[in-house]
Amino acid sequence: MELGKVDPVDAKHANVETRPVDSPDFHYEDGDFQGQKGSTRGDVLDMSRMGKKQELQKFPIPVNCRVHHDPAIFVGKHITARHSRTPDGNPSADNPTSAASYGLTNGGTAGVIWVTVGVIIGALCMIASIGEMASMAPTAGGQYHWVSEFAPKSIEKPLSYIVGWLALLGWVTGCPSAAQLTSTLVQGLILLKNENANVAALWQTSLFIMIFLIVAVAFNIFLAGKLPLAEGIFLIVHIFGYFAFLIVLWTMSDHAPASQVFGTFTDGGGWGNTGLSCLVGITTPLWCFLGPDAGAHMSEELKDAGRVLPSAMVWATFFNGLLGLTMIITMCFCIGDIDGVLNSSTGIPIIQLLYNSTGSYRATVVMTTVLIVLSMVGTITVIAATSRQMWAFARDKGLPFSSYIEHVRPGWDIPLNAIVVTLLVSLVITCLNFGSDVALNAIISLSNAALIFSYMASIGCIRLKRFRGEALLPRRWSLGKFGAPINDAALCFLAVGFVMSFFPISPKPAPVDMNWAVVIFIFVVVVAAVNYVVSARWHYIAPVALVKEQ
């Protein structure tokens, strides 16, 4: 289909606004957007260019600009972890806060610190690249939409379809993962009080996860309009919690010498090479920066998204990285007996570390409760971003039962059906844990690789356009002359992370410790490709087919 022309059949099925921007009945004067659900002039022009109809309510402040980019959450990602292992070698609570013991094993305190510094630099390049694309096309579709607009014409449709499936898979598997964190924190507190308590069986963990998923979905349905306010309030809680943790650890813990903290590298995984061991441990800080596309998936609910969103994402990443690095250094100074903390009866290193520092059960409960609340907020925002990604992909007929999933009920102004389907899929994934945590963790472990691939594909497409000297779309947030080197740095960073996401914690692992993510990843890509050839190519509407020439 020729760019700028919309097939009437495609337009009918995609539920898009087909009037041209210069149509006499398409009003977009400033202050006159009663029919556009709070949109600004820029929002209306962006949605019109992409051939999309504004169906969701716009909010005046950033909504979920980055699911994991609040400072205190960064802290939890590194220091709240079960020590047991998943099939990919990560701690069993393979979630945003689950990687500390993995990084300390592969790299030690020095490895965690210096690898984190490198990851922060790489992540800033990655998120800056994503932010620029979000300014060009602020849509809930995110990566698959950008691939469709920027990829070579010969491959844009199948590639965008596969990227859409992988991005959605990465987010959907993140929902039970986020709830699993909240579950392990609650169980850890119980075990701190009574280490013989019977609360950590697979069926009990599964029920905890399901409860927190249902609560998060209920918030997204019945309190959706309060989400921006809630995130603003909890951001303040995050910051105060950050300084509370910092003060407690520095004033009440024993401290290791600086030479040990910054100079002790370990090869606990047995790779035979400290450098390789540190690279394997990159999943510790890398996980903290996955999910920057969350803001893009919420962009159709953010007022003036093309201008506000990129800045919010980049500044959130910068401050998150800066404060998070400070807390990681604090943890490494104050952790004391690493083996004792990692092998605590609670199964949660941060709980044991807090108890060792304060010597008070009550103080530990109060501080851990802060982490539980923040973890619950994180689960709420993961559900929000996942449902928007699913809704957008269904809007372009990329999913089974797309007509049901994409429907927005009048008066609700939220993708209610997509939220419900997100819950159902998350509950099905969680049910795998009743029989064996190996199956559940194998699926959850795929999240890293799936999301990283979607970032590589979209950034790679925009980099190819720059390499060919092709014109880029207008945007209100641009990388300018630094675009090419920043894209290159992001791609190199993501390539390393992609390869390392398939590594187990140690060489020659037993089957239960094997990283099965690579097998599942290849399987998903093959199934998506075959489904595209057999069926999806006839009904999937590549977003570029609806784009209008300005």
Side-chain angles (χ1 to χ4, degrees):
M1 179 179 295
E2 184 179 350
L3 183 66
K5 295 183 178 180
V6 183
D7 189 309
V9 176
D10 282 354
K12 176 182 177 181
H13 289 294
N15 192 26
V16 299
E17 176 61 69
T18 58
R19 288 173 293 174
V21 178
D22 56 356
S23 172
D25 62 340
F26 196 95
H27 300 290
Y28 49 78
E29 289 80 6
D30 291 338
D32 184 23
F33 301 104
Q34 290 87 349
Q36 297 297 325
K37 301 183 183 295
S39 300
T40 66
R41 173 187 174 89
D43 293 328
V44 173
L45 293 176
D46 285 334
M47 293 295 285
S48 176
R49 185 197 68 80
M50 293 184 291
K52 304 296 184 183
K53 179 181 178 181
Q54 183 64 46
E55 297 185 82
L56 308 180
Q57 182 64 42
K58 291 276 189 178
F59 293 100
I61 59 177
V63 179
N64 193 20
C65 68
R66 168 69 168 89
V67 167
H68 301 311
H69 262 190
D70 301 303
I73 288 297
F74 186 100
V75 176
K77 289 176 183 179
H78 285 273
I79 60 180
T80 308
R82 283 181 178 253
H83 190 47
S84 55
R85 306 294 176 180
T86 66
D88 68 336
N90 286 324
S92 64
D94 185 12
N95 48 54
T97 66
S98 67
S101 56
Y102 188 57
L104 289 173
T105 299
N106 284 288
T109 55
V112 167
I113 291 172
W114 295 115
V115 170
T116 297
V117 172
V119 167
I120 290 173
I121 297 172
L124 282 170
C125 294
M126 173 186 74
I127 293 171
S129 299
I130 291 175
E132 184 181 44
M133 290 186 290
S135 183
M136 295 179 188
T139 169
Q143 297 94 298
Y144 84 87
H145 181 106
W146 301 330
V147 168
S148 180
E149 286 217 53
F150 305 142
K153 186 176 181 180
S154 59
I155 63 170
E156 61 85 11
K157 186 172 182 178
L159 182 60
S160 69
Y161 179 77
I162 293 174
V163 167
W165 267 100
L166 289 174
L168 180 57
L169 181 66
W171 276 106
V172 167
T173 55
C175 294
S177 174
Q180 192 180 40
L181 165 63
T182 313
S183 171
T184 56
L185 286 170
V186 172
Q187 291 170 310
L189 271 185
I190 297 173
L191 292 171
L192 177 67
K193 182 66 174 179
N194 180 8
E195 63 181 33
N196 296 318
N198 181 21
V199 295
L202 289 178
W203 68 269
Q204 293 167 317
T205 301
S206 301
L207 291 179
F208 271 121
I209 294 173
M210 290 180 175
I211 290 171
F212 293 128
L213 284 171
I214 292 172
V215 171
V217 167
F219 189 101
N220 272 277
I221 292 176
F222 300 108
L223 297 174
K226 304 297 183 181
L227 184 58
L229 175 62
E231 290 189 329
I233 293 173
F234 285 110
L235 176 59
I236 297 174
V237 175
H238 288 174
I239 295 174
F240 277 100
Y242 169 85
F243 286 105
F245 276 76
L246 201 69
I247 292 170
V248 166
L249 291 175
W250 275 113
T251 59
M252 304 185 72
S253 301
D254 295 328
H255 303 151
S259 58
Q260 176 182 325
V261 171
F262 291 102
T264 301
F265 295 87
T266 61
D267 179 19
W271 292 96
N273 183 287
T274 303
L276 177 59
S277 184
C278 289
L279 281 178
V280 173
I282 197 174
T283 55
T284 296
L286 178 61
W287 179 256
C288 304
F289 290 96
L290 291 183
D293 52 311
H297 302 316
M298 303 297 293
S299 61
E300 293 185 34
E301 294 164 83
L302 171 61
K303 182 171 289 189
D304 206 15
R307 180 183 63 84
V308 173
L309 178 60
S311 297
M313 293 168 65
V314 172
W315 282 112
T317 302
F318 174 78
F319 287 111
N320 180 58
L322 180 64
L323 299 180
L325 179 62
T326 304
M327 183 57 76
I328 290 302
I329 294 173
T330 299
M331 179 198 73
C332 291
F333 268 101
C334 303
I335 195 170
D337 179 10
I338 295 179
D339 290 335
V341 171
L342 294 181
N343 293 293
S344 162
S345 60
T346 68
I348 308 293
I350 183 57
I351 294 180
Q352 190 63 48
L353 177 57
L354 290 172
Y355 184 73
N356 291 348
S357 299
T358 63
S360 168
Y361 174 72
R362 292 182 178 179
T364 303
V365 168
V366 171
M367 299 186 74
T368 304
T369 300
V370 173
L371 287 179
I372 292 173
V373 172
L374 298 180
S375 173
M376 192 64 226
V377 174
T379 305
I380 291 171
T381 53
V382 169
I383 292 287
T386 303
S387 60
R388 273 58 175 187
Q389 167 78 91
M390 180 180 292
W391 170 75
F393 201 38
R395 182 174 57 182
D396 291 323
K397 307 304 175 185
L399 296 173
F401 310 107
S402 288
S403 297
Y404 172 80
I405 297 174
E406 71 166 325
H407 179 63
V408 177
R409 301 187 183 188
W412 283 80
D413 293 338
I414 59 171
L416 178 60
N417 293 357
I419 294 174
V420 172
V421 173
T422 297
L423 173 62
L424 294 177
V425 174
S426 299
L427 293 177
V428 169
I429 294 175
T430 304
C431 285
L432 297 174
N433 203 50
F434 281 109
S436 169
D437 60 351
V438 174
L440 173 65
N441 289 321
I443 293 177
I444 289 178
S445 68
L446 180 62
S447 180
N448 275 24
L451 287 175
I452 290 174
F453 181 85
S454 70
Y455 305 150
M456 291 175 64
S458 54
I459 296 174
C461 289
I462 198 72
R463 180 63 183 95
L464 181 61
K465 290 183 74 68
R466 281 192 160 103
F467 177 77
R468 292 179 170 179
E470 299 176 3
L472 301 180
L473 291 176
R475 62 272 192 202
R476 290 180 285 166
W477 196 92
S478 174
L479 297 178
K481 62 182 180 181
F482 299 105
I486 288 177
N487 292 162
D488 290 337
L491 289 172
C492 291
F493 163 69
L494 289 169
V496 173
F498 182 73
V499 173
M500 291 300 143
S501 67
F502 296 125
F503 272 60
I505 191 172
S506 60
K508 300 179 181 178
V512 70
D513 296 318
M514 177 58 186
N515 186 346
W516 296 107
V518 63
V519 177
I520 302 175
F521 180 85
I522 294 174
F523 174 78
V524 171
V525 171
V526 170
V527 169
V530 171
N531 184 62
Y532 175 81
V533 172
V534 174
S535 173
R537 62 174 174 164
W538 305 111
H539 57 76
Y540 170 61
I541 305 171
V544 73
L546 304 175
V547 168
K548 303 169 185 175
E549 291 180 340
Q550 296 267 42

